[in-house]
Amino acid sequence: MVMADVPAKIVYERPEALDPRVTHYCPGCTHGVAHRLVAEVLDEMGETGNTIGVASVGCSVFAYNYFNIDFVEAAHGRAPAMATGIKRVYPDRTVFTYQGDGDLASIGMGEIVGAASRGEGITVIFINNANYGMTGGQMAPTTLPGQKTSSSPTGRDTKRQGYPIQTAEMLSTLEGSSYIVRRSLHSSREIRRAKQAIRTAFEVQKHGLGFSLVELLSTCPTNWGMSAAQSRDWLEERMLPYYPLGDYKVSPAVAELKK
Amino acid sequence: MAKELIKGNTAVAEAALRAGLEAYFGYPITPQTELLEHLSARMPEIGRPFVQAESELGAINMVYGAACTGKRVMTSSSSPGVSLMMEGLSYIAGTEVPAVLVDVVRGGPGLGNIAPAQGDYNQIVHGGGHGDYHMLVLAPASVQEAVDLTVLAFDLAEKYRHLVAVLMDGSIGQMMEPAELPPMQPMKTDIPDWAVRGTDGGEKRVLTSINLDPPAQEVMNLRLMKRWQEIEKNEVRYKGYYLDDAEYVVVGFGTAGRISLSAVRAAREKGIKVGLLRPITLAPFPNDILDELSEKAKAFLVVEMNSGQMLEDVRLVVRGRKPVEFFGRMGGVVPYPDEVLTEIKRLVDGPLTTEGHPRDRWLARLSETIG
Ligand SMILES: Cc1ncc(C[n+]2csc(CCOP(=O)(O)OP(=O)(O)O)c2C)c(N)n1
Ligand code: SF4
């Protein structure tokens, strides 16, 4: 067979916004996917050198090791406050937080609600993996009813432990929020959609349109006690019904931008 | 610039702004609120960020973020609010970024009350937040001094990449006194190398307080402690009054120091050779002068608006060489000069002892009066 004489073309490479390093994430964990999407978007927007990231406390505590971006590391839950401090001083810089569900929706609920209600011009990448990954898979505010975790060993009992928080829905009720959506990282189709949403979120910030947040349903195969493939299925079957994907808040100005 | 009659909290706010404060983050709490209110009007007026945060946790972490940009930033609060800030203060210390905190202390513990007190000495001077760190602590005794120390606080914070606290009590915050405000300074234009701002294609900068490797963390701790030693060497400040021939020495800071000065003057009029040592830096503590006085003086009287928190630092330096007595009022009660004068006379009349603990003797006396 004669090979057609096509010039080689690079179709996949490391984004500039990522450092060439091996991450500490477990095999099959979607933290790495989320990092890559953020990095691709910042590169494509030409914002990589103009961005300051705020890492949070959780498995992504060392996110700053993987991004080739100026970064600070917040206390547990406080990333939106730290990002506020930076954004107010540097309104022309892109400022984003990267937070887990324990970080954002439990210990940091005050800070995220404050930032969203003020319409703080930051972007929040919110990883919902239905448990506390870093500390060994305890119950999180996002843990599903009946879901077994290391601190709800017989399954989350809603009578004693209450109900999961639907963060995107909740924050979308705040007038100050401009763009609040939920996406998922369990399939390549959803990953592409997630990337589009991340792009819109950063565009919202760049155009000074206020607070943007992308909730990303994610897997934690290690603490869920599953293989990577099983965890993707579990996400689809169990998480999607409780956490429907969709656009929960698109302010009129953002809708205009998306046209 | 001419003196004007101005409230302590407002004066500190305006002084900070004129010192080039680039962003303020705070949360309302009495008796500090005028500080926040003044800046809520003035900062936007001149195009600088002011944010009323969702809580003191939010405020201190906004300061933390903004401090990472190397700009002049501050927050202010009062005792219960400062308790909530301890987490952020430890992180700021652990990241070695400069920031200024004004604590206008009120009566406690708990919700306590909104009267002037000095019960935050321990939480500000001896920690509060977790881990090995210090704050540089400045304690003004008048509105003018509060103004001057606020300006100094920014310079020291930047010089040492350090946390600086201005510890004043509610009476200095609330009191109106003539004071001269500093001239308007231009904002800093030199941004330190370590500050985050976006790489602009260059090397990335990371500011963090996490260090999973204990030996590396220990190296960092060592660096912090060496810096603290340098601060101890260079930045001790105090004011001495009538100390040259003093046989008795009163030690008091802030408002307690100021009230003690009235008592010392009254005692001098009665021919008692008494002087006053008023620490201005509570951390670093003026150990050397106190050590010197421990050789010369006959006895010490420590006066505070708390249960004797600084007393322990005084005792550490005096080391039983001379008798130390204590007089304090707690819970937002401000002592009268006459009460301090009575205590000075008690020193002179004796009997004096280096045995036991001065707090126990004071508590026994106090129980009789207020019990
Ligand atoms: C004040 C405080 N409390 C508790 C912890 C311990 N801690 C570290 S990570 C974490 C949970 C993080 O979970 P999540 O935000 O869901 O992120 P994930 O690890 O799942 O990505 C906790 C509780 C801490 N570091 N600080
Ligand atoms: S513990 Fe879970 S969230 Fe953390 S890296 Fe492993 S798979 Fe990912």
Side-chain angles (χ1 to χ4, degrees):
Chain A
M1 203 175 75
V2 183
M3 293 285 281
D5 195 11
V6 224
K9 186 173 147 216
I10 295 171
V11 291
Y12 191 82
E13 63 182 334
R14 183 178 50 78
E16 238 178 71
L18 284 186
D19 267 339
R21 291 180 81 145
V22 177
T23 76
H24 70 285
Y25 298 120
C26 307
C29 174
T30 44
H31 266 305
V33 178
H35 281 26
R36 182 171 174 107
L37 296 184
V38 170
E40 284 180 358
V41 164
L42 291 175
D43 276 4
E44 286 162 19
M45 290 174 65
E47 279 296 297
T48 301
N50 190 46
T51 297
I52 301 166
V54 183
S56 68
V57 176
C59 281
S60 57
V61 67
F62 291 123
Y64 55 75
N65 283 335
Y66 310 136
F67 285 102
N68 181 21
I69 285 174
D70 271 14
F71 244 93
V72 299
E73 165 57 45
H76 198 17
R78 319 288 173 234
M82 230 182 152
T84 297
I86 297 171
K87 185 69 182 179
R88 293 288 179 131
V89 172
Y90 279 130
D92 60 331
R93 302 271 145 163
T94 293
V95 179
F96 77 97
T97 70
Y98 186 102
Q99 303 177 256
D101 42 11
D103 190 85
L104 183 143
S106 190
I107 194 167
M109 194 51 109
E111 285 70 31
I112 194 69
V113 170
S117 66
R118 286 190 304 271
E120 216 58 68
I122 58 170
T123 299
V124 175
I125 306 298
F126 171 44
I127 306 295
N128 177 356
N129 59 12
N131 77 89
Y132 283 39
M134 191 196 207
T135 39
Q138 294 81 18
M139 186 180 73
T142 46
T143 295
L144 296 172
Q147 184 185 337
K148 284 184 184 166
T149 70
S150 66
S151 62
S152 54
T154 54
R156 182 177 189 155
D157 173 1
T158 54
K159 281 207 190 67
R160 285 189 299 125
Q161 289 149 329
Y163 292 86
I165 295 176
Q166 288 150 319
T167 307
E169 288 86 332
M170 193 188 76
L171 293 176
S172 69
T173 64
L174 299 171
E175 192 56 36
S177 65
S178 295
Y179 183 67
I180 311 273
V181 301
R182 182 181 291 121
R183 298 290 185 267
S184 178
L185 300 177
H186 72 279
S187 71
S188 36
R189 192 181 72 152
E190 295 307 330
I191 289 171
R192 274 197 300 278
R193 290 188 171 160
K195 182 175 169 184
Q196 278 163 9
I198 293 170
R199 172 76 189 235
T200 306
F202 280 110
E203 292 285 357
V204 166
Q205 176 167 180
K206 202 170 178 192
H207 287 82
L209 298 182
F211 180 85
S212 53
L213 175 142
V214 181
E215 174 171 348
L216 297 170
L217 300 185
S218 302
T219 61
C220 177
T222 301
N223 288 309
W224 293 358
M226 296 175 195
S227 70
Q230 286 168 330
S231 65
R232 286 194 296 271
D233 293 344
W234 191 87
L235 189 164
E236 190 172 6
E237 284 156 28
R238 296 287 310 277
M239 287 181 79
L240 284 188
Y242 202 94
Y243 298 114
L245 307 184
D247 295 2
Y248 289 93
K249 177 78 176 277
V250 179
S251 73
V254 175
E256 216 30 56
L257 177 76
K258 281 180 78 177
K259 270 187 196 160
Chain B
M1 230 170 264
K3 284 196 174 189
E4 55 188 286
L5 193 61
I6 188 165
K7 200 175 206 177
N9 282 335
T10 315
V12 166
E14 185 61 27
L17 178 140
R18 295 190 188 184
L21 176 68
E22 226 163 302
Y24 173 90
F25 309 90
Y27 189 83
I29 184 168
T30 315
Q32 160 273 170
T33 300
E34 296 84 2
L35 208 165
L36 167 135
E37 284 174 345
H38 183 78
L39 291 174
S40 74
R42 285 282 281 143
M43 292 293 275
E45 210 173 82
I46 55 173
R48 298 183 194 171
F50 165 93
V51 181
Q52 180 172 324
E54 61 276 9
S55 68
E56 288 85 353
L57 262 174
I60 194 67
N61 284 285
M62 290 175 192
V63 164
Y64 183 19
C68 288
T69 69
K71 312 268 180 151
R72 290 205 151 171
V73 293
M74 75 175 277
T75 185
S76 57
S77 189
S78 176
S79 317
V82 173
S83 298
L84 216 49
M85 289 183 179
M86 285 301 158
E87 175 195 71
L89 293 173
S90 168
Y91 277 76
I92 290 171
T95 312
E96 300 171 70
V97 289
V100 172
L101 160 72
V102 179
D103 180 4
V104 189
V105 185
R106 61 189 244 179
L111 209 43
N113 57 44
I114 58 173
Q118 297 183 326
D120 283 12
Y121 183 93
N122 276 344
Q123 89 159 343
I124 293 287
V125 170
H126 291 302
H130 59 283
D132 273 311
Y133 76 96
H134 292 270
M135 281 200 269
L136 207 160
V137 186
L138 306 169
S142 67
V143 172
Q144 183 66 62
E145 203 173 33
V147 164
D148 299 341
L149 292 181
T150 299
V151 177
L152 176 70
F154 288 105
D155 294 334
L156 292 177
E158 277 154 24
K159 180 171 176 196
Y160 296 102
R161 285 180 68 170
H162 218 269
L163 269 170
V164 180
V166 178
L167 185 77
M168 51 193 228
D169 61 75
S171 62
I172 295 169
Q174 294 298 320
M175 179 165 63
M176 287 189 82
E177 268 190 322
E180 189 183 325
L181 289 165
M184 192 76 173
Q185 282 180 38
M187 286 205 294
K188 277 197 322 164
T189 46
D190 52 324
I191 299 172
D193 262 356
W194 52 260
V196 295
R197 72 206 75 174
T199 61
D200 286 324
E203 283 282 297
K204 76 170 172 188
R205 306 169 188 86
V206 172
L207 291 171
T208 176
S209 68
I210 191 173
N211 205 333
L212 290 187
D213 180 30
Q217 177 69 32
E218 194 181 36
V219 169
M220 184 270 186
N221 287 138
L222 181 64
R223 184 170 66 243
L224 284 190
M225 289 308 123
K226 287 210 159 137
R227 189 172 308 151
W228 183 247
Q229 285 182 317
E230 207 187 313
I231 291 173
E232 284 182 315
K233 207 171 79 206
N234 300 333
E235 304 302 343
V236 169
R237 288 171 171 78
Y238 62 86
K239 236 172 154 169
Y241 305 83
Y242 311 105
L243 287 177
D244 287 346
D245 64 342
E247 292 175 353
Y248 302 95
V249 174
V250 180
V251 189
F253 69 95
T255 295
R258 183 172 168 153
I259 292 164
S260 297
L261 181 58
S262 304
V264 163
R265 289 201 169 115
R268 279 271 166 185
E269 271 171 28
K270 295 188 193 315
I272 301 174
K273 288 192 169 168
V274 58
L276 170 71
L277 175 67
R278 181 167 67 80
I280 291 174
T281 50
L282 300 179
F285 198 68
N287 294 327
D288 290 350
I289 175 73
L290 192 57
D291 188 55
E292 227 175 84
L293 292 168
S294 303
E295 293 296 327
K296 295 197 311 202
K298 284 188 186 158
F300 291 86
L301 171 68
V302 177
V303 179
E304 295 181 75
M305 282 147 61
N306 60 38
S307 64
Q309 298 186 15
M310 181 185 70
L311 170 66
E312 299 302 342
D313 288 330
V314 172
R315 278 164 45 85
L316 271 178
V317 179
V318 178
R319 293 194 308 278
R321 281 175 285 177
K322 297 290 161 60
V324 176
E325 289 297 313
F326 177 69
F327 177 69
R329 297 306 303 258
M330 304 172 286
V333 177
V334 180
Y336 287 106
D338 275 357
E339 291 176 277
V340 180
L341 181 60
T342 306
E343 295 299 317
I344 293 172
K345 284 184 189 152
R346 190 196 307 282
L347 275 198
V348 178
D349 295 344
L352 290 168
T353 173
T354 51
E355 303 292 308
H357 199 294
R359 184 181 295 109
D360 294 333
R361 292 190 287 274
W362 161 68
L363 282 176
R365 290 195 302 273
L366 187 72
S367 309
E368 279 169 28
T369 13
I370 69 168

